Amino acid sequence: MNIKAARNLRRISQGLFLILFLFLLFKTEFRGTFSENSQENIRLSYPVRIFLDIDPLAAVSTAISTHSLYKPIIWSLIVIIGSILIGRLFCGWICPLGTLNHIFSSFKSDKKREKIINSNRYKNWQSVKFYILFGMLAAAVFSSLQTGLLDPISFTIRSLATSIIPGLNYIMRLILDSMYATENSFLQFVSNLGYKIFENNLFTFKQLYFHNSFIIGIIFLTVLIFNRIIIRFWCRGICPLGALLGIFSKLSIFGMEKDHEKCTYCDKCLIDCQGADEPIAGVKWKSHECVLCFNCQASCPEDVIHFKFFPKQESIGALAPDLTRRRLIISLGAGFTLFPILRAASGLEKNYNPKLIRPPGSLEEKDFLARCIRCGECMKVCPTNAIHPTLLEAGPEGIWTPFLIMRMGYCEDTCVLCSQICPTGSIWEIDEETKSGGENGNRVKIGTAFIDQGRCLPHAMDIPCIVCEEHCPTSPKAIHLKDVTVIDRNGEKVELRQPYVDPELCWGCGICEYMCPVKDKPAIYVTNVGETRSPENRLLLEA
Amino acid sequence: MERRKFIKLTARAGAGVIASGGMGFWLASRSKKPTVRTEIGTRLDYTIPPSPDLPELASAKGDSPSELTEMVINALGGINRFISQGDIVVIKPNIGWDRIPQQAANTNPEVVKKTVELCYNAGAKKVIVTDASCNDPRRCFARSGIANAAEKAGAEVKLPEKRKLKNVNMDGVILKNWPIYSHYLEADKVINIPILKHHNLTRLTIGMKNWYGMIGGIRSQLHQDIHNSIADLAQFMKPTLVILDAFRVLLTNGPQGGSPRDVKNMNIIAAGTDQVAVDAYGAHLFGINPDEIPFITIAHQRGLGKMDISEINIKNMIT
């Protein structure tokens, strides 16, 4: 194949994979398609997490932390084997964040030619990504999985799902809704049209809000903007997945051959280089940095650069000079040292946060932290907007892991989508039958509700309510009512029904907390005591 | 300095001073404390003229909810009495919960489907089926079977959308300014299709309580004076027709149930034009004397309808 055609193929591949990625992200929501059979359990209609299933970093790091592979992630072998054979093709052709970085670095820049050439030469700081990778893998040896923080797939899904998409929804709905509110029939038509166009893609069913997600969004935008200063800054210097694939690429049978004599040093290859991998003659090509964009060969006027199978090895540089043994040991050591320091911070072993309510099906906390890659898929799919990224609620090791905030949403009684979507099994896959415990079985509990009798209307203020009881989904209801007659301040008898929680029946769904009319600080609230996943965080004596 | 230049610069600065000063005083004159915009008192009356020859309420017992629906509507004079050519009809079933039909927490989908079909047969231009659910509406509309059934009959199924809320002044005893979904304001006819269910605060939820699903706002606060708020809603919204689904009835653990143990098959569909009478009849079916249910008594006292079963002209049918 002609090299220009190969470059165009790469562009098409990037575009299609980015579109596929966004399409699947938009479909990571039950959008209300009404099937014939109402008994049918609700499932998503597309395999929405395939980008996570083929993510080699998630596979390798969870394999280290759990000594196993959660079934679907075996698909990552496709990318691993691909990288072993061809190199970092994933970075340049498939990775959605790579493509976004590529797009953001391609806008016309007013930078001088010399500056661009200089910034596209290999720099020592590009080896930082390897040290990040090794530090994180060292922590994974102790079952503390931190790769998700910087895994590009997790990073992109999390940022788009919890910050960028909700932000776009907010501004677009604001505009369309204020048009609708004008009562001008033309503007209302435009508003309705806008909703029609976006309702099945960009727009979530309702406006979503995520706990502290602005931090996630700002980090994401910063990464994109950095491309204006250094092309593919993230891919070159930070990305641990890129580093992992760079290591695999050392086995590759595909690569670059240079005809050093022919080169006139016009520097055209350097101007277009994405990976800063030294395509120019006179130095060795760094296959572990190259994202195989083929720009260099396409722009070379002198026929110096050739990508081919089984290239001569003379022009190909080794990992060794970029990655010194000393620094490698330091980064491994940092990972090993950081782990006990993070664990010694309170939270996980002691003084466990009672509001850290994990989604139903979640594994015990340490197993959970060994698996969760913080991709945010569960947050995106939750129909009630109950699942949020933690900041420090789960301790320093658990940043951006999912937890439920019942004032924002609640766990829908018959919904299991978060467990269906989790790519690594930190929320182990359960079905409706398991969640409800079947007939007389044991339910999956995520916590227990408690009544604040000082704030509850019938308990404290002689005012009738029962909203919590009304919404309680179990049968018989975990919230039950006791009839009392009280004397109010005027000496009159008032008959009231006061709610109480039966901790055996309550599973912590939190709809009571969500619906409680005491709006600011609810009179009924859920904490995680009694959660099925923990053998220690118990309330009741169990036979 | 040149004269021309002097004049030009002075004019420019002067224009700036006048513009900023004028803008400032104009904006200052507009300053007032922001208030929530409300509409004037509104009552929605979609009733049709009474017809003394026909029964006020019809009730039928049998095996097919859709046949029973047609029977009771025919007994009341047929669908053409209620729906005219070109009408926009809003149908309000109870789609409150993420429950399947067998759990009897939502209106029977066959009843809704039949009603939609009949409306189109009578020449309705558009039939809208909508509700503001308690659980996630997408799940409620799907799992109740109502969305699919109504769509098949050609109805427009409308999930609740926040932007469609409009503030109205209901001018009730408890309810003053509340947001309601605008479909109800834009309709020609409104049909309420509640399901008869147990409820722990009011003992029962039937037709008038079903209007909770018409409004937005903090509905959970209405429970503090639930009977008056139900009566206020019934006073605000008078439907063309009420069809009562008592085919499967949730006897306990209402209003959402969850277990088949809570459900009894009564196999009855009833319909009437007097919403108080339909609720009274529902209570009667449940084995409760209507005067034990305060929201029925209050609605009756406000002159909204009959509550004494012996005074209501009922036609009973069995297939």
Side-chain angles (χ1 to χ4, degrees):
Chain A
M1 195 194 316
N2 163 321
I3 191 63
K4 294 220 162 101
R7 184 174 62 177
N8 286 335
L9 199 63
R10 186 259 301 158
R11 286 174 177 152
I12 292 167
S13 162
Q14 282 181 300
L16 289 180
F17 277 110
L18 183 63
I19 290 167
L20 179 67
F21 177 81
L22 291 175
F23 174 78
L24 293 176
L25 189 59
F26 292 148
K27 293 293 175 196
T28 309
E29 180 180 6
F30 170 62
R31 288 196 178 269
T33 39
F34 305 120
S35 72
E36 190 74 24
N37 184 3
S38 59
Q39 311 258 2
E40 225 166 67
N41 291 324
I42 286 171
R43 292 288 181 275
L44 298 181
S45 25
Y46 294 89
V48 293
R49 57 154 198 235
I50 52 177
F51 279 86
L52 289 157
D53 289 343
I54 61 163
D55 179 350
L57 182 61
V60 169
S61 56
T62 54
I64 292 173
S65 62
T66 69
H67 316 137
S68 65
L69 276 181
Y70 192 59
K71 279 262 173 60
I73 217 161
I74 193 86
W75 288 104
S76 62
L77 278 175
I78 296 174
V79 177
I80 293 177
I81 293 170
S83 308
I84 289 174
L85 295 177
I86 306 181
R88 280 176 69 179
L89 189 80
F90 179 82
C91 305
W93 288 55
I94 297 171
C95 178
L97 184 59
T99 304
L100 286 173
N101 284 330
H102 197 141
I103 293 170
F104 272 76
S105 28
S106 325
F107 296 132
K108 220 173 166 101
S109 152
D110 53 3
K111 265 201 273 179
K112 294 242 162 61
R113 190 185 138 87
E114 298 307 313
K115 255 191 158 172
I116 297 173
I117 293 166
N118 185 36
S119 87
N120 283 345
R121 295 305 294 254
Y122 176 78
K123 303 286 184 316
N124 279 334
W125 56 258
Q126 285 175 236
S127 57
V128 167
K129 60 178 176 292
F130 291 99
Y131 303 125
I132 291 176
L133 172 70
F134 285 112
M136 283 177 166
L137 293 184
V141 172
F142 288 115
S143 330
S144 176
L145 194 73
Q146 299 300 322
T147 45
L149 290 173
L150 296 175
D151 179 308
I153 310 293
S154 289
F155 179 80
T156 312
I157 295 178
R158 176 176 72 231
S159 307
L160 293 177
T162 68
S163 182
I164 306 299
I165 293 176
L168 277 173
N169 265 262
Y170 194 88
I171 184 71
M172 291 171 68
R173 281 171 197 260
L174 187 70
I175 294 167
L176 293 178
D177 290 358
S178 43
M179 281 181 172
Y180 190 83
T182 57
E183 320 229 330
N184 171 314
S185 60
F186 175 72
L187 290 178
Q188 285 196 334
F189 170 79
V190 175
S191 170
N192 287 334
L193 188 71
Y195 270 91
K196 266 260 152 2
I197 294 170
F198 295 113
E199 70 182 353
N200 278 317
N201 42 66
L202 184 63
F203 277 2
T204 43
F205 175 71
K206 56 181 180 184
Q207 175 66 45
L208 302 179
Y209 302 88
F210 290 97
H211 181 65
N212 280 333
S213 67
F214 70 99
I215 303 175
I216 295 174
I218 288 172
I219 295 173
F220 182 73
L221 294 177
T222 309
V223 165
L224 293 186
I225 286 166
F226 249 81
N227 288 301
R228 306 305 300 151
I229 304 164
I230 296 161
I231 292 173
R232 284 203 188 225
F233 170 75
W234 167 279
C235 312
R236 292 180 187 180
I238 295 175
C239 186
L241 175 57
L244 183 71
L245 299 184
I247 293 170
F248 290 145
S249 78
K250 287 291 130 194
L251 302 171
S252 156
I253 54 168
F254 181 79
M256 187 196 289
E257 231 176 63
K258 298 183 196 173
D259 207 341
H260 295 274
E261 285 79 52
K262 282 190 187 166
C263 183
T264 59
Y265 297 93
C266 69
D267 290 342
K268 283 193 173 147
C269 55
L270 287 178
I271 287 178
D272 293 335
C273 181
Q274 287 284 317
D277 49 67
E278 304 287 37
I280 196 153
V283 285
K284 289 197 170 185
W285 172 63
K286 294 179 186 299
S287 68
H288 51 280
E289 300 293 337
C290 178
V291 298
L292 302 180
C293 69
F294 299 145
N295 281 347
C296 51
Q297 186 180 347
S299 58
C300 181
E302 310 294 341
D303 211 20
V304 176
I305 300 166
H306 294 277
F307 278 96
K308 61 199 292 192
F309 283 97
F310 304 103
K312 292 193 203 113
Q313 298 293 307
E314 288 83 66
S315 314
I316 302 180
L319 261 175
D322 301 345
L323 233 61
T324 65
R325 194 173 298 165
R326 185 184 299 251
R327 288 210 190 121
L328 208 61
I329 290 169
I330 291 173
S331 69
L332 284 170
F336 289 139
T337 323
L338 215 52
F339 166 75
I341 288 179
L342 296 180
R343 279 281 152 105
S346 82
L348 183 54
E349 306 274 352
K350 286 209 160 190
N351 191 22
Y352 187 58
N353 180 357
K355 296 301 274 181
L356 182 66
I357 302 161
R358 296 289 194 192
S362 293
L363 299 179
E364 194 277 323
E365 186 64 11
K366 284 179 190 165
D367 292 329
F368 187 90
L369 290 176
R371 289 172 181 271
C372 178
I373 54 166
R374 305 117 202 258
C375 61
E377 290 274 73
C378 51
M379 304 166 201
K380 177 84 176 81
V381 83
C382 178
T384 68
N385 195 196
I387 308 181
H388 294 263
T390 54
L391 192 54
L392 288 172
E393 288 80 359
E397 279 178 82
I399 295 172
W400 312 141
T401 54
F403 79 130
L404 280 79
I405 303 179
M406 304 306 189
R407 282 267 95 176
M408 308 282 288
Y410 61 92
C411 187
E412 194 70 85
D413 189 36
T414 59
C415 175
V416 292
L417 291 179
C418 56
S419 88
Q420 296 280 330
I421 205 165
C422 180
T424 58
S426 41
I427 311 171
W428 202 263
E429 187 170 339
I430 54 172
D431 59 15
E432 288 76 359
E433 180 88 10
T434 319
K435 186 179 179 188
S436 68
E439 275 299 301
N440 309 317
N442 287 330
R443 280 192 155 272
V444 173
K445 295 189 182 196
I446 58 175
T448 308
F450 294 85
I451 289 175
D452 184 342
Q453 293 197 352
R455 296 177 71 84
C456 176
L457 302 179
H459 277 290
M461 300 163 207
D462 305 341
I463 298 170
C465 188
I466 75 128
V467 172
C468 53
E469 189 265 2
E470 179 180 14
H471 286 84
C472 182
T474 62
S475 173
K477 286 174 186 288
I479 298 175
H480 57 102
L481 303 169
K482 291 187 189 170
D483 290 323
V484 291
T485 309
V486 296
I487 310 289
D488 71 8
R489 65 180 293 182
N490 302 322
E492 281 171 32
K493 273 190 185 174
V494 183
E495 286 181 13
L496 290 166
R497 317 201 76 188
Q498 295 176 333
Y500 287 83
V501 176
D502 182 338
E504 268 192 69
L505 291 169
C506 179
W507 62 273
C509 76
I511 196 170
C512 49
E513 182 176 343
Y514 183 70
M515 291 290 178
C516 179
V518 185
K519 270 294 161 195
D520 58 339
K521 184 176 170 237
I524 185 163
Y525 58 93
V526 178
T527 65
N528 57 24
V529 71
E531 53 181 348
T532 309
R533 70 194 190 112
S534 168
E536 279 126 34
N537 189 15
R538 315 301 313 157
L539 177 70
L540 301 175
L541 176 66
E542 278 154 45
Chain B
M1 189 186 277
E2 277 174 52
R3 189 185 297 156
R4 278 180 81 89
K5 203 169 178 188
F6 170 76
I7 292 171
K8 203 175 156 193
L9 288 178
T10 315
R12 208 168 68 177
V17 169
I18 292 165
S20 59
M23 192 75 172
F25 280 103
W26 179 65
L27 287 174
S29 73
R30 284 170 53 86
S31 168
K32 61 176 191 238
K33 190 179 174 190
T35 48
V36 179
R37 199 176 62 134
T38 53
E39 313 287 329
I40 42 160
T42 316
R43 295 281 163 87
L44 297 179
D45 188 346
Y46 293 112
T47 49
I48 44 149
S51 155
D53 316 333
L54 292 165
E56 290 163 294
L57 199 148
S59 169
K61 185 168 181 160
D63 300 324
S64 156
S66 92
E67 267 175 44
L68 296 176
T69 309
E70 192 159 11
M71 273 173 74
V72 291
I73 290 175
N74 286 340
L76 294 178
I79 191 71
N80 290 311
R81 184 182 161 209
F82 303 102
I83 307 296
S84 322
Q85 196 75 31
D87 274 353
I88 293 174
V89 185
V90 172
I91 293 180
K92 161 70 176 84
N94 188 328
I95 321 178
W97 307 96
D98 176 13
R99 295 288 191 224
I100 57 173
Q102 288 73 5
Q103 291 169 320
N106 304 307
T107 302
N108 192 308
E110 289 182 52
V111 177
V112 179
K113 188 178 175 205
K114 189 61 182 182
T115 312
V116 175
E117 285 166 359
L118 290 174
C119 288
Y120 277 121
N121 290 347
K125 184 173 144 204
K126 186 158 81 175
V127 181
I128 293 171
V129 174
T130 187
D131 191 14
S133 313
C134 298
N135 287 136
D136 175 48
R138 289 160 290 181
R139 298 188 71 92
C140 298
F141 276 66
R143 302 237 308 148
S144 66
I146 293 175
N148 182 263
E151 268 179 1
K152 258 203 267 172
E156 267 187 37
V157 175
K158 297 276 188 196
L159 274 67
E161 272 186 279
K162 216 175 170 185
R163 69 188 178 121
K164 297 270 165 83
L165 285 171
K166 268 192 183 161
N167 275 330
V168 294
N169 185 347
M170 296 189 177
D171 202 16
V173 174
I174 299 296
L175 303 185
K176 304 291 182 198
N177 295 315
W178 277 83
I180 84 162
Y181 287 94
S182 57
H183 312 297
Y184 298 95
L185 301 171
E186 291 152 10
D188 296 311
K189 300 284 161 57
V190 171
I191 300 177
N192 188 8
I193 318 187
I195 179 168
L196 178 62
K197 282 192 290 184
H198 163 257
H199 187 280
N200 241 331
L201 193 57
T202 55
R203 298 182 68 184
L204 287 177
T205 153
I206 324 174
M208 293 189 280
K209 169 86 171 54
N210 203 27
W211 294 129
Y212 268 35
M214 164 178 72
I215 61 175
I218 308 170
R219 293 196 299 205
S220 59
Q221 289 177 345
L222 300 182
H223 293 66
Q224 294 167 32
D225 195 344
I226 198 163
H227 297 289
N228 271 311
S229 63
I230 292 172
D232 278 355
L233 285 170
Q235 197 168 336
F236 168 73
M237 166 57 97
K238 297 194 178 95
T240 317
L241 177 67
V242 186
I243 303 171
L244 173 66
D245 169 17
F247 196 78
R248 298 190 190 95
V249 178
L250 196 56
L251 292 184
T252 165
N253 222 31
Q256 63 164 321
S259 165
R261 290 186 300 266
D262 307 330
V263 178
K264 181 190 166 191
N265 289 334
M266 278 193 189
N267 295 346
I268 293 174
I269 305 290
T273 46
D274 173 343
Q275 57 178 341
V276 184
V278 173
D279 276 18
Y281 182 71
H284 169 74
L285 287 180
F286 213 88
I288 297 175
N289 197 333
D291 60 20
E292 288 175 43
I293 308 286
F295 69 79
I296 297 180
T297 342
I298 295 170
H300 170 69
Q301 282 161 1
R302 292 199 201 169
L304 299 177
K306 295 183 185 175
M307 64 176 279
D308 189 341
I309 297 292
S310 62
E311 280 178 18
I312 306 168
N313 176 6
I314 303 178
K315 184 177 181 187
N316 275 304
M317 296 167 285
I318 295 179
T319 56

